[in-house]
Amino acid sequence: MENQQRNWYVVRCFSGHEKKVKEYLQREIELQGFEDKITQILIPSETVVEIRSGKKRTREKNFFPGYIIIESVFDDAVNNLVSNAPSVIGFLKNDKESPRPTPLKEEEVNRILGRTSRAEAGEGSSLVEIPFKKGDLVKVIDGPFKDFDGTVEEIYPDKLKLRVMVSIFGRRTPVEVDVNQVDPDV
């Protein structure tokens, strides 16, 4: 073995195939006895709560779609295993002419691992993705302002509320509504 140093490498794969690639590599590592060469495979992601059509949905959101990171010794056997996996494009390299991929810098790894471990540990609250932005036209579909049209003025993601400017008796009036009380005005 030319290099026993383990580093973190970025592997490019088809977007949406990250989990399939990870599962395939884990099976092959076990079958071929590469546990000492490839020690970790991560898909940097976090849990996101989305609100669509008045319903809360939880989903995994990848930080880097189309990429996984592996902690590995880099040699020909590892290169062949990873590069020939289904849906894998190859290792990410700084120089296309170089046969070796570029390992991640320590500060990059710490940033990625810090975000991933925080999301896996469930620290803090889940990230909430609100499908509205300031200036969007919305229609209130529930509550005392039902059937009013308005414009989103402010978003409060921590409270899951919006401040919407509606026209009441010909005057623009700010009202605070829950995110699930409005739909995009089409």
Side-chain angles (χ1 to χ4, degrees):
M1 307 253 162
E2 62 209 52
N3 184 4
Q4 284 297 319
Q5 168 98 22
R6 277 189 192 79
N7 289 306
W8 286 95
Y9 297 97
V10 177
V11 176
R12 293 178 57 209
C13 61
F14 298 148
S15 186
H17 291 229
E18 299 88 356
K19 284 185 182 176
K20 291 177 188 175
V21 170
K22 180 180 178 179
E23 290 167 3
Y24 173 84
L25 288 175
Q26 287 173 328
R27 278 193 313 271
E28 288 299 311
I29 288 166
E30 199 173 300
L31 287 172
Q32 296 184 26
F34 280 10
E35 291 92 348
D36 59 329
K37 292 185 179 189
I38 301 175
T39 52
Q40 290 187 65
I41 302 172
L42 294 177
I43 304 170
S45 62
E46 65 187 342
T47 303
V48 176
V49 177
E50 282 184 322
I51 298 176
R52 301 246 180 212
S53 303
K55 295 184 172 85
K56 277 187 185 181
R57 292 186 195 135
T58 304
R59 69 175 177 92
E60 283 293 310
K61 179 178 180 182
N62 287 350
F63 295 141
F64 311 111
Y67 295 94
I68 61 173
I69 59 172
I70 64 170
E71 183 181 36
S72 163
V73 170
F74 186 81
D75 62 13
D76 289 338
V78 169
N79 185 29
N80 288 336
L81 172 68
V82 174
S83 297
N84 294 322
S87 301
V88 168
I89 297 167
F91 282 95
L92 192 62
K93 301 176 184 177
N94 276 349
D95 181 9
K96 292 184 181 188
E97 303 302 317
S98 171
R100 299 182 64 81
T102 308
L104 290 172
K105 295 181 179 126
E106 191 174 338
E107 53 272 7
E108 293 172 320
V109 172
N110 291 337
R111 191 180 74 236
I112 292 168
L113 292 177
R115 274 179 93 177
T116 303
S117 63
R118 220 177 22 255
E120 286 173 355
E123 290 178 20
S125 61
S126 297
L127 177 67
V128 176
E129 197 170 90
I130 297 177
F132 302 105
K133 62 184 183 304
K134 189 174 178 177
D136 281 355
L137 296 175
V138 295
K139 182 173 193 76
V140 181
I141 58 169
D142 190 26
F145 301 101
K146 183 177 180 177
D147 296 327
F148 279 80
D149 293 327
T151 307
V152 176
E153 290 292 313
E154 262 188 84
I155 300 169
Y156 306 107
D158 51 330
K159 298 180 190 175
L160 296 178
K161 293 193 179 278
L162 303 171
R163 184 183 326 148
V164 178
M165 293 298 273
V166 297
S167 178
I168 300 176
F169 304 120
R171 294 184 62 186
R172 289 179 41 87
T173 308
V175 296
E176 195 170 284
V177 295
D178 289 336
V179 173
N180 61 355
Q181 289 181 303
V182 295
D183 267 343
D185 195 12
V186 191

